[in-house]
Amino acid sequence: EIQKDGNWGNVGGNQIGDTVNFRTVSTVPNTTGYTTYTYIIHDTMSEGLTSNVKSAADVTIKVNNTDVLDAAYYTVNVDTANANKFSVSIDIMKAIADGKIATSDKLYTYYSGVLNENAKVYDEGKQDNAAHLEYSNNPNDDTNKGKTPDEKVYDWTFKMGVNKVDDKGTSLTGAKFVLSRNGALTVENMKCDDNGAPTVTTDLIGLVKVSDGVYRVAKAGDTDVVYTVDAGTPVIKGLDDNVDYYLYETKSPSGYNLLKAPVHFVIDAKYSEDGSTIAVGYP
């Protein structure tokens, strides 16, 4: 499952740089007759996500979603060839013997990733995270393992164009805009230079120029961050849905005044039941 707006389900929407929370829900088996029992959760995130899982400290397991299982009862292994692929091996039999879990308990395994600069943007595609459980299924043959089908969840991110026009609908150039999720800012407090670039960037969304007219939301660690986009037909990639965004004009075209209020917009995404397809409404 993936978390979106505080709820768990099959689909999420995020801004580039956001932490994306995931969990699996599995059941403690009946281990009667077994001397050893394999119980491994396998997870693989697609390249638009960066896994935060490096060790057992990056995973939390809650028994029946309440009591935290001590990390002494599980180990985490990260694939040496793919840092987005890892496994969580739970010592089910020891945890049962120690009274930490019981047959039919639910194990909620929590971990996270970050939506990164390689994220596919709607309508180019989406990110996915696939997980399955490997388990013992024959007490007389420990080499005989079962595997649940892969369960996939999906994470989407979006883009928005910026265009300023005159009263006849003709595109104007020369204007500069900044982007924020705060609708209570003022351009005066941004202390912009003569070219509209803010010197006070509190609550502004940093951007990275990908190519002429194309920007993406910056993430932690980016060094080439800018805050303004030029009016015309630029595109900002890596935006969330169901979020209030505000475009502030920091420099107006020659002969025009600055907009007195920011332009407010919300990207509206309607997801399919399994989250693999969507329809998007732009303002």
Side-chain angles (χ1 to χ4, degrees):
E1 293 181 313
I2 184 172
Q3 190 175 43
K4 177 175 173 58
D5 302 328
N7 299 311
W8 292 96
N10 298 322
V11 62
N14 286 98
Q15 182 176 293
I16 284 178
D18 282 353
T19 295
V20 186
N21 294 313
F22 300 100
R23 75 179 184 185
T24 66
V25 184
S26 55
T27 303
V28 176
N30 185 339
T31 59
T32 301
Y34 287 88
T35 55
T36 62
Y37 197 96
T38 297
Y39 194 93
I40 306 173
I41 298 167
H42 296 271
D43 188 276
T44 305
M45 300 182 195
S46 60
E47 66 174 353
L49 294 159
T50 300
S51 173
N52 283 331
V53 178
K54 307 301 179 189
S55 69
D58 303 312
V59 173
T60 299
I61 300 177
K62 292 184 177 181
V63 182
N64 296 322
N65 211 23
T66 54
D67 298 330
V68 175
L69 183 67
D70 192 283
Y73 293 98
Y74 59 91
T75 58
V76 171
N77 293 291
V78 179
D79 191 300
T80 56
N82 180 2
N84 267 8
K85 186 176 183 180
F86 65 91
S87 62
V88 182
S89 301
I90 304 174
D91 193 338
I92 289 289
M93 297 193 72
K94 179 172 175 53
I96 291 175
D98 291 350
K100 302 300 181 181
I101 60 176
T103 300
S104 299
D105 279 347
K106 297 293 185 182
L107 300 181
Y108 290 72
T109 303
Y110 291 86
Y111 45 93
S112 67
V114 174
L115 190 67
N116 65 38
E117 71 276 16
N118 298 315
K120 296 178 180 178
V121 178
Y122 178 84
D123 52 358
E124 299 163 359
K126 59 196 178 289
Q127 294 36 258
D128 65 63
N129 186 16
H132 70 268
L133 177 67
E134 179 186 357
Y135 57 93
S136 296
N137 64 359
N138 187 339
N140 300 311
D141 182 3
D142 190 50
T143 64
N144 192 353
K145 303 293 192 299
K147 173 185 175 298
T148 63
D150 270 336
E151 293 287 342
K152 280 190 178 183
V153 294
Y154 302 96
D155 196 39
W156 296 82
T157 192
F158 306 90
K159 60 188 175 185
M160 189 69 189
V162 181
N163 189 21
K164 184 177 176 71
V165 298
D166 62 18
D167 55 1
K168 297 179 181 178
T170 302
S171 293
L172 298 172
T173 59
K176 301 279 188 178
F177 289 90
V178 297
L179 182 65
S180 179
R181 291 168 72 153
N182 185 346
L185 302 179
T186 66
V187 174
E188 290 75 19
N189 289 341
M190 296 177 196
K191 300 186 183 302
C192 299
D193 63 20
D194 292 340
N195 200 36
T199 59
V200 177
T201 58
T202 304
D203 282 343
L204 298 184
I205 295 174
L207 305 169
V208 173
K209 188 173 183 179
V210 178
S211 60
D212 286 343
V214 179
Y215 300 80
R216 67 161 172 84
V217 174
K219 60 177 181 56
D222 284 331
T223 57
D224 47 351
V225 177
V226 298
Y227 289 92
T228 60
V229 296
D230 299 323
T233 55
V235 173
I236 301 173
K237 294 185 173 184
L239 301 177
D240 201 349
D241 70 309
N242 197 33
V243 164
D244 293 293
Y245 285 107
Y246 300 87
L247 277 170
Y248 291 85
E249 188 179 34
T250 59
K251 182 180 180 182
S252 60
S254 178
Y256 290 82
N257 295 322
L258 286 176
L259 294 176
K260 294 182 179 180
V263 177
H264 169 236
F265 68 91
V266 178
I267 297 169
D268 179 30
K270 304 297 185 187
Y271 299 93
S272 63
E273 184 175 351
D274 69 355
S276 64
T277 60
I278 60 173
V280 177
Y282 286 102

